[in-house]
Amino acid sequence: MTDTYAPPEQTTRKSSAITHTGLVRKVNEDAILSRPELDLWAISDGMGGHVAGDFASQTVVQSLQSLADNLEPTEVMCKARQALHRAHSEIKAEATRRSIGTIGATAVILALSETNFLCLWVGDSRLYRYRDGAIEIISSDHSVVGELVEQGYLTWEEAENHPQSNQITRAVGVSDVLEIDKRRGEIRPGDRFLLCSDGLSKYASEDTLLHYLDEKPIDTVSDDLLQFALDAGAADNVSIIVVEV
C-alpha cells in the first residue's frame, strides 16, 4: 500500500531544555541553544580544558544566537551552517592567540520547517528521533568508535564501553577545513527529537531513551533524563533538549 501521509498545513512545537555540570566536573563546558521562534535548537560540548572548552562551546552557541529572528526556515538552515563556519574560524584564531594546541567543540543542530527537519553535526553530540514507539539515531558520531559502529564492528552499546570511546575525529575549531555532516527528512505529528551531549548518551541505552521519550511529558522529560544521568554518576557535563512536533 502506498503511504499517503499528508503533513498538516501548520505544526506546533513544544520543547524542554537543560544543561548541568554533572557530579564530577567543576565547570560546565557544554552550551545549549533554544530558539523556538526560529524552530532552531543546538548543543555544543567544548574540549581543550575548562577555560578553552567553555570558550569553544559558547562561541558555537553565540554564533547561532546571532541569527536574525525573522528568517524563513530555508534561510535558518543556510545561516546555521554559516554560523558553524564562523565559529570554527573564531575558535581557531583564539587557539593561535592563546598558543594552545587544541580548542574545539562538538555541535549538533536541529532546524525544523513545516514539513521537514535538518540535522547538522560535528563530533559526537547526538540527535535521536522518536516516532511511533521506536527510536532512531539521526546523527552518527564523528569518533573512533563511531566509525567502528558505522562499519558494523560494534554496536552503540559496545562503543560506550570501548577504551577509545572519548576520541572524536571532528570538532568545530580543530581542523583546517570544517566538515559538517547533514541529514534531512520529513516530520510528522507526534515526533520527538532528542539532542544530547555525551554526558547523557554514555549512560543511556536506546531502550532507556525510548522509555523516557515514550512515557514522559514534554514539560519534564529533559529534567527526568538529567536525573537519570545524575543517578548513573554523571561524570561529565550533561545537556539535553527535547523537541515535540
Side-chain angles (χ1 to χ4, degrees), residues 65 73 90 95 102 150 186 209 216 223 228 244:
Q65 188 65 55
E90 292 176 18
T102 299
E150 290 297 309
E186 68 172 7
L209 296 176
K216 301 298 182 178
D223 291 334
F228 171 84
E244 180 178 272

Side-chain angles (χ1 to χ4, degrees), residues 63-74:
S63 188
L64 292 164
Q65 188 65 55
S66 70
L67 299 186
D69 59 10
N70 59 350
L71 299 175
E72 294 296 322
T74 54

Side-chain angles (χ1 to χ4, degrees), residues 11-115:
T11 56
T12 58
R13 290 80 190 254
K14 297 180 180 179
S15 63
S16 60
I18 194 166
T19 186
H20 192 283
T21 305
L23 300 178
V24 176
R25 303 287 180 88
K26 295 182 178 180
V27 174
N28 193 348
E29 296 178 49
D30 286 1
I32 64 175
L33 175 89
S34 182
R35 296 196 63 183
E37 77 280 6
L38 288 179
D39 282 330
L40 179 67
W41 296 267
I43 287 177
S44 183
D45 180 355
M47 53 179 281
H50 74 270
V51 176
D54 289 357
F55 173 83
S57 62
Q58 290 168 11
T59 298
V60 169
V61 164
Q62 288 168 3
S63 188
L64 292 164
Q65 188 65 55
S66 70
L67 299 186
D69 59 10
N70 59 350
L71 299 175
E72 294 296 322
T74 54
E75 294 178 300
V76 172
M77 295 174 180
C78 177
K79 297 294 185 181
R81 176 180 286 274
Q82 293 174 5
L84 284 184
H85 282 284
R86 215 166 36 245
H88 181 72
S89 298
E90 292 176 18
I91 295 168
K92 284 179 64 67
E94 183 68 10
T96 299
R97 189 186 71 80
R98 297 190 193 186
S99 299
I100 297 176
T102 299
I103 304 177
T106 70
V108 60
I109 298 171
L110 172 67
L112 299 180
S113 69
E114 287 300 323
T115 57

Side-chain angles (χ1 to χ4, degrees), residues 157-188:
E157 286 74 17
E158 291 169 338
E160 298 301 341
N161 298 313
H162 194 279
Q164 294 177 296
S165 61
N166 291 327
Q167 295 185 20
I168 63 174
T169 55
R170 293 190 207 176
V172 182
V174 173
S175 59
D176 290 335
V177 178
L178 178 62
E179 295 182 72
I180 304 170
D181 272 357
K182 71 176 180 181
R183 184 176 172 187
R184 37 174 102 236
E186 68 172 7
I187 58 174
R188 297 185 179 183

